[in-house]
Amino acid sequence: MDWNDGYVADLDYPAAFFAEQSPSHLSIACILNGVEPVPPDRTFTYFELGAGMGLTSNILAASHPQGRFYSNDFNPAHVAAARQLADEAQLENMTVLESSFAELASGKVDLPPLDYITMYGIYSWITPANRQCVVDFIGRYLKPGGIVYVNYNALPGWTRNLPLQRLLLEHANCNPVPRIAQLEQARDLARKLAEAGAAYFDGSKQLGYRMASLARDKAGYLAHEYLNSGWEPLYHADVAGELAAAGLDFVGSADLPLAFMDDYLTAPQQALLAGIADPRWRETMRDYLLNTSFREDVYVRGARRMGEERRAGWLARLGLVQTSVAETAPAPAAAPGDDSVAQRAIVDALAAGPKSLPELAGPRCESLQATARLAARLAAAGKAAMYFLGSETVDPAPAMRLNRAIAAQSTFGDHYQALAAPRLGGGLHSGLAQRLVYQCLAQAPADAQPDAHDVSRQVACLLQGHFASCIPGSPAEAALHELREGLPRTVAAILALRLPIWRTLYML
């Protein structure tokens, strides 16, 4: 058996930040689903399995200085990148490990009991033997009441696309050329089959989405999505059964609006589910109703269900803060049952600053539950973020150090497309122009008033390093030219609209 156990290891997975893995986000998901969370205001331990280049773990460690974080990957290049970023930010609460799932499961690594274990893009991409190692690791280290986040490609939604993955994998196995060449050949093969009128390519919406992804997305993502020999979409009932061996109870989705599942089901569908007693099969039947192709599941070791009064107490400890610029166009007239007017009212209220859920509920005479539903929708849309009240007291210094390190790396690369936001206990996706503006502002005196013309000139100079590394005539070079041409307008917008959000979230 190869050292990588059939997993793609010769092409780095793109660095990315996933807010769903945040301890704060997962505890909020528990509250919305009526389950006791891990209290956010105490010290805790956190472990990310298969952390890649460690961007998520580093951002979370910087945003939660009260936590002890462990980031693990078996790819030496990923581990080196994660350690470098942690060292540059001087994150004393971050430990980066290089271990296999089997080594972790057998207890060969000295670890404390863990409050959180998360994994992104792991469970349905590895072999069954490695999935068992993941379950054994959770059973060995997760505390009672601890939270697990696991996502996976799901059935039945992936059924239509299974032959496409098999086509790409078998083509790669039959053509032992460098991975990039395998992907280019696979793209070409799929395109030629479609153009030749292959009956499989029948114009279905789901298959069309996958074909568009194959043509558009980065090679690192595509290789890990399609070319792992252990890749296998899974049913919820099977995953829940496997994780039950570690004492885990299913709580709900990390996609916060799905805590209010009735919004997504018709009355007959709700009645059908109400007649299914077994919780695993009820959730699996919901996947049939929605044709779910990707799940983001939250589990707790020994879930404790809360009564309405207890849940209301937790909801009262949550706030909502603006994370993107409010739309300036007038909202369209609302259709019956549409909550866009109520959402817009909340967005308008947040323009004056963060608000607690009780503050937002009060003027509208809404229950906390109804307000949380609207807040979850706004968070999923990227317009706002839910957070725990009291996060204002978190030391922002580690997050600012990490942001400076990320911004400095952005002067010559575009790997880390996010910045830490300590008020959220997480981070914000941030484009190249935003990070370069951040770099300029971070180097200026704290009391200096930024001048848009001066910052634009500085950012233009920083972009030269990106042009130097681009292939002439490539799409990347064309995108840089477009960015440079609109730079004065872009920088002015960032200073006017994004900078206040950074300051509200204690990012700068």
Side-chain angles (χ1 to χ4, degrees), residues 373-399:
R373 172 181 169 274
L374 294 172
R377 284 178 168 256
L378 288 169
K383 296 179 180 179
M386 301 178 75
Y387 70 98
F388 282 96
L389 302 178
S391 61
E392 301 88 346
T393 62
V394 171
D395 180 11

Side-chain angles (χ1 to χ4, degrees), residues 24-25 28 314-315 317-322 350 353-357 359 385-392 422-425 504-505:
S24 301
H25 184 100
I28 290 172
W314 274 111
L315 290 174
R317 297 175 61 180
L318 300 181
L320 195 66
V321 61
Q322 185 181 34
L350 296 180
K355 299 286 187 297
S356 68
L357 293 195
E359 287 175 316
M386 301 178 75
Y387 70 98
F388 282 96
L389 302 178
S391 61
E392 301 88 346
R423 188 168 200 162
L424 302 182
T504 300
L505 300 180

Side-chain angles (χ1 to χ4, degrees), residues 7 14 43 54 78 99 113 127 208 236 285 290 387 390 399 416 422 429 464 486:
Y7 193 84
T43 58
H78 289 170
S99 300
T127 63
H236 166 80
M285 290 308 103
L290 299 176
Y387 70 98
Y416 301 127
H429 293 284
Q464 293 308 310

Side-chain angles (χ1 to χ4, degrees), residues 17-19 21-23 44 46 48 55-65 69 93 118 402 420 425-427:
F17 170 70
F18 300 108
Q21 293 178 261
S22 163
F44 62 82
Y46 179 105
E48 183 183 6
L55 180 61
T56 294
S57 287
N58 273 294
I59 285 179
L60 296 180
S63 301
H64 295 86
F69 286 78
N93 64 334
T118 74
L402 178 64

Side-chain angles (χ1 to χ4, degrees), residues 8 51 83 90 100-101 131 146 156 159 240 362 425 445 450 471 489:
V8 170
R83 284 177 177 166
Q90 303 172 44
S100 69
F101 295 131
R131 287 206 301 273
T159 304
I471 299 174
R489 182 175 64 256

